[in-house]
Amino acid sequence: MSVPGAWYLTLAALLFTIGAVGLLVRRNVLVMFMCVELMLNAVNLTFVTYARMLNDIGGQAVVFFTLVVAAAEVVVGLGIIVSIYRRRPGATADDITLLKG
Amino acid sequence: MDWAVFVVAGIATLVGALGVVTCRNPVHSALMLVMTLFGIAVLFVEQDAHFLAAVQVIVYAGAVVVLFLFVIMLLGVETNEDLHKDPLRGQRPAAIALGLLMLLEVLLLVRSNWVTGAPSTAGAARSADQTNVEVLSRSLFTRYLLPFEATSVLLLIAVVGAVVLARRPTRAELADINEDDPDLVTAE
């Protein structure tokens, strides 16, 4: 355990912030989705770091489940995006205003 | 040596993440995402999570990013987005300010962090005579058996959902939608 866990946590915090800012800044739905993946990965890194710091396998088991849920989320999310683009080619997040009152 | 690996993988991760956010072309963003995911996988190996590192490369870099690229090329949205235009005025500075605020908050938490939880409540992660795969699988198939079975149902639901979403509506359904709201299917 040579690199202290705090460094990994700092890296994960930076990664999470980049993902969050990207989600707010970008307009392309696909890139926004990739930013969500960045945030998920940052949290995974945090879990693995804590698993090492506490010498607990539970953290790694949670990351395993997060990976499964992320895969399912990507499949359904991309399905939704495909059906949106089929209706309106070239749509950005600003154009999807069907629910706007 | 550990520090060198950490610094190189960390820089690759951060550069990739910045690339995802700043690249104008979605294909480049997806490729930058691969770089980030590989960096994270290296950091997993560095922390003795060997199985998760392999899964990270196979599932994320192998399946998820390929799915992203498929969708990008299928839809033909690899047009460049104009990052200089700000459709919602003042949103971008506000987003960056909020992001910095959140970063500051999390870093303060990291700085003041003392890990206080009881160690090894779900079993020890490091073992003298077992590899990481053995330890993790033993945990998954005993303590976390019910959640593990639940994920199979979740994957089934995701598959069914994707098929339903990707299916073209039949003629009868289209007529139905047309009656409800003609605006919905203008581009069909």
Side-chain angles (χ1 to χ4, degrees), chain A residues 2 26-27 41 55-56 87, chain B residues 2 21 23 56 91 120 187:
Chain A
S2 51
R26 294 301 298 256
R27 286 283 166 281
N41 270 285
N55 189 19
D56 195 324
R87 293 234 160 96
Chain B
D2 283 338
V21 177
C23 277
Q56 173 92 359
Q91 195 223 8
S120 309

Side-chain angles (χ1 to χ4, degrees), chain B residues 84-147:
Chain B
H84 295 294
K85 208 177 66 190
D86 200 353
L88 219 68
R89 197 144 46 85
Q91 195 223 8
R92 197 156 292 163
I96 291 171
L98 271 178
L100 286 179
L101 198 69
M102 189 178 71
L103 179 67
L104 200 70
E105 192 180 356
V106 178
L107 286 182
L108 278 179
L109 280 178
V110 169
R111 238 185 115 241
S112 66
N113 123 72
W114 300 108
V115 180
T116 52
S120 309
T121 46
R126 284 183 293 277
S127 157
D129 54 340
Q130 283 177 319
T131 61
N132 170 255
V133 181
E134 281 180 285
V135 175
L136 184 58
S137 58
R138 196 170 294 277
S139 178
L140 278 179
F141 287 115
T142 54
R143 189 183 174 96
Y144 297 102
L145 184 62
L146 187 65

Side-chain angles (χ1 to χ4, degrees), chain A residues 83-101:
Chain A
S83 58
I84 288 174
Y85 272 107
R86 208 185 268 161
R87 293 234 160 96
R88 320 153 157 246
T92 64
D94 289 326
D95 301 331
I96 307 164
T97 54
L98 208 64
L99 284 178
K100 197 171 174 182

Side-chain angles (χ1 to χ4, degrees), chain B residues 33-99:
Chain B
L33 187 63
V34 176
M35 185 154 119
T36 304
L37 299 175
F38 268 102
I40 300 255
V42 171
L43 294 175
F44 280 0
V45 173
E46 190 62 6
Q47 306 201 69
D48 299 325
H50 301 131
F51 178 73
L52 289 177
V55 173
Q56 173 92 359
V57 171
I58 293 167
V59 171
Y60 259 118
V64 168
V65 174
V66 169
L67 206 59
F68 268 114
L69 287 173
F70 257 125
V71 169
I72 290 170
M73 288 168 184
L74 190 75
L75 297 172
V77 287
E78 61 270 57
T79 48
N80 290 336
E81 181 184 352
D82 188 5
L83 286 179
H84 295 294
K85 208 177 66 190
D86 200 353
L88 219 68
R89 197 144 46 85
Q91 195 223 8
R92 197 156 292 163
I96 291 171
L98 271 178

